[in-house]
């Protein structure tokens, strides 16, 4: 049984639903809110680092700031922040700047973690990379979500992040954007080895779709009989498709805006373009999702 709120009025188009919970459900009993201090202490000198007690670990950023963290927090909340070879009371040098570490260390400890909303992409990417490198578990999750949200603006970098840190759902989302907008010659060598062959399969699926779209067979023989129809409709579409798979980034432009001046006054071409675009949309749909269509195929050459 669904809850009462969602079944009481199924015809309603309102996005708001009622709940049986009292309005005071989420209100806090505490009248005073105290700011939680960060889970680290910052020092500008190595003096403190040398005299630190055994319950703490001191990290030094690449720009020479010292961060003292509780050893138990580091052990509980991170998987690779403490080097396996570290001798007791020695300082740990990290390659990240203090700006990155300040944010990263906010995740090390039993407290509310940063939401990383509205951060600049370069900063977010550096925090995400460091979170993966040191296996700071709670940071990894939120970074993955924020990186995913940046996939429409930075598809190539987000795809590479997903590829190297095992986020297949993010890779799947970025793959069509990357393949229709990036120079793949420079991208492929940056992918992990295990994705080279699947990526080639994916490229092949897009090339096949492009050739299906270009050889659309439902164009009537009389379609380009008028000089104007060819010059202002057929030719610009073939020219766009001739630029390759990148033309499939925006089929609406290829089959609509690109030829709008002509199709607005030519119903025959307007109809033809609508059918052609529907065919293109279906061909692109048929390419499928990268991780479903390209990862598990039998190898091209089976080595016994
Ligand atoms: Zn026409």
């Amino acid at each position: 049984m669904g809850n009462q709120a969602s079944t009481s009025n199924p015809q309603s188009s309102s996005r708001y639903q009622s709940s049986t919970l009292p309005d005071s459900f989420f209100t806090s009993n505490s009248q005073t809110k105290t700011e939680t201090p960060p889970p680290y202490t910052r020092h500008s000198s190595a003096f403190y680092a040398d005299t630190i007690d055994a319950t703490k670990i001191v990290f030094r950023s690449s720009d020479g700031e010292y961060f003292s963290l509780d050893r138990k927090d580091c052990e509980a909340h991170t998987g690779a922040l403490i080097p396996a070879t570290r001798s007791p009371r020695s300082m740990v040098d990290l390659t990240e700047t203090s700006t990155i570490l300040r944010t990263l260390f906010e995740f090390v400890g039993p407290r509310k973690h940063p939401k990383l909303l509205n951060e600049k992409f370069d900063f977010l990417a550096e925090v995400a990379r460091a979170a993966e490198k040191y296996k700071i578990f709670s940071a990894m999750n939120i970074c993955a979500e924020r990186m995913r949200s940046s996939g429409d603006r930075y598809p190539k970098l987000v795809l590479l992040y997903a590829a190297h840190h095992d986020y297949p759902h993010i890779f799947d989302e970025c793959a069509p954007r990357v393949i229709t907008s990036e120079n793949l010659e420079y991208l492929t060598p940056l992918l992990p080895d295990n994705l080279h062959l699947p990526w080639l399969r994916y490229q092949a699926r897009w090339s096949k779709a492009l050739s299906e779209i270009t050889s659309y067979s439902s164009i009537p023989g009389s379609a380009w009989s008028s000089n104007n129809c060819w010059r202002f409709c057929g030719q610009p579409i073939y020219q766009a498709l001739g630029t390759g798979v990148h033309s499939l980034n925006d089929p609406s432009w290829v089959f609509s805006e690109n030829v709008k001046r002509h199709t607005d006054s030519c119903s025959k071409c307007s109809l033809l373009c609508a059918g052609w675009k529907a065919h293109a949309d279906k061909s692109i749909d048929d390419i499928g999702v990268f991780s479903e269509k390209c990862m598990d195929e039998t190898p091209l050459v089976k080595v016994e």
Side-chain angles (χ1 to χ4, degrees), residues 223 228-229 233 262 266 268-269:
N228 274 355
C229 288
C233 188
H262 178 73
C266 175
K268 198 169 79 172
C269 283

Side-chain angles (χ1 to χ4, degrees), residues 168-271:
H169 65 296
I170 301 179
F171 191 99
D172 285 345
E173 284 181 8
C174 292
R177 295 178 200 135
V178 168
I179 213 146
T180 57
S181 65
E182 296 290 342
N183 186 336
L184 302 178
E185 191 187 337
Y186 299 109
L187 176 90
T188 310
L190 299 176
L191 288 170
D193 288 350
N194 68 316
L195 291 183
H196 282 188
L197 186 55
W199 186 250
L200 284 177
R201 289 188 194 117
Y202 193 60
Q203 282 182 255
R205 293 180 76 86
W206 276 89
S207 298
K208 181 166 165 278
L210 177 66
S211 101
E212 278 170 15
I213 293 164
T214 308
S215 59
Y216 179 53
S217 59
S218 299
I219 299 171
S222 61
W224 316 120
S225 54
S226 143
N227 216 350
N228 274 355
C229 288
W230 168 246
R231 210 171 133 213
F232 298 112
C233 188
Q235 199 174 40
I237 289 178
Y238 282 114
Q239 270 171 354
L241 294 174
T243 61
V245 166
H246 282 200
S247 65
L248 304 185
N249 184 280
D250 187 2
S252 290
W253 182 84
V254 174
F255 297 103
S256 303
E257 287 100 277
N258 184 26
V259 290
K260 194 173 182 325
R261 278 182 62 193
H262 178 73
T263 51
D264 274 353
S265 59
C266 175
S267 57
K268 198 169 79 172
C269 283
S270 175
L271 206 62

Side-chain angles (χ1 to χ4, degrees), residues 5-270:
S6 61
T7 56
S8 58
N9 187 7
Q11 302 302 318
S12 169
S13 61
S14 167
R15 58 197 283 249
Y16 294 107
Q17 313 242 319
S18 59
S19 163
T20 54
L21 294 173
D23 286 351
S24 61
F25 186 69
F26 286 112
T27 56
S28 166
N29 290 330
S30 167
Q31 293 301 310
T32 53
K33 282 192 175 158
T34 51
E35 189 86 354
T36 315
Y40 56 79
T41 315
R42 281 166 67 196
H43 305 292
S44 55
S45 148
F47 173 76
Y48 298 99
D50 290 334
T51 58
I52 211 78
D53 69 75
T55 65
K56 303 282 183 184
I57 298 183
V58 173
F59 297 91
R60 180 166 57 186
S61 66
S62 63
D63 52 350
E65 269 198 40
Y66 299 85
F67 295 83
S68 162
L69 276 81
D70 196 288
R71 182 172 56 81
K72 281 188 176 159
D73 283 345
C74 293
E75 287 167 354
H77 299 276
T78 76
L81 185 60
I82 309 169
T85 55
R86 173 181 176 267
S87 54
R89 298 184 187 228
S90 65
M91 190 169 55
V92 179
D93 271 310
L94 301 179
T95 54
E96 289 72 22
T97 63
S98 54
T99 312
I100 300 300
L101 293 184
R102 270 200 295 277
T103 298
L104 200 63
F105 289 157
E106 296 265 332
F107 289 92
V108 183
R111 67 200 304 281
K112 263 197 169 180
H113 296 141
K115 295 182 180 63
L116 301 180
L117 286 166
N118 306 318
E119 299 290 0
K120 287 203 166 119
F121 178 76
D122 288 6
F123 175 79
L124 174 67
E126 287 204 52
V127 174
R129 187 174 66 168
E132 295 290 337
K133 181 175 163 189
Y134 302 122
K135 297 203 187 317
I136 299 180
F137 304 114
S138 49
M140 287 158 73
N141 287 335
I142 192 74
C143 284
E145 267 316 298
R146 298 292 173 258
M147 288 294 279
R148 182 186 177 192
S149 308
S150 304
D152 52 348
R153 283 165 296 139
Y154 303 92
K156 185 167 75 174
L157 281 168
V158 175
L159 176 119
L160 287 168
Y161 156 81
H164 284 274
H165 299 296
D166 195 26
Y167 294 104
H169 65 296
I170 301 179
F171 191 99
D172 285 345
E173 284 181 8
C174 292
R177 295 178 200 135
V178 168
I179 213 146
T180 57
S181 65
E182 296 290 342
N183 186 336
L184 302 178
E185 191 187 337
Y186 299 109
L187 176 90
T188 310
L190 299 176
L191 288 170
D193 288 350
N194 68 316
L195 291 183
H196 282 188
L197 186 55
W199 186 250
L200 284 177
R201 289 188 194 117
Y202 193 60
Q203 282 182 255
R205 293 180 76 86
W206 276 89
S207 298
K208 181 166 165 278
L210 177 66
S211 101
E212 278 170 15
I213 293 164
T214 308
S215 59
Y216 179 53
S217 59
S218 299
I219 299 171
S222 61
W224 316 120
S225 54
S226 143
N227 216 350
N228 274 355
C229 288
W230 168 246
R231 210 171 133 213
F232 298 112
C233 188
Q235 199 174 40
I237 289 178
Y238 282 114
Q239 270 171 354
L241 294 174
T243 61
V245 166
H246 282 200
S247 65
L248 304 185
N249 184 280
D250 187 2
S252 290
W253 182 84
V254 174
F255 297 103
S256 303
E257 287 100 277
N258 184 26
V259 290
K260 194 173 182 325
R261 278 182 62 193
H262 178 73
T263 51
D264 274 353
S265 59
C266 175
S267 57
K268 198 169 79 172
C269 283
S270 175

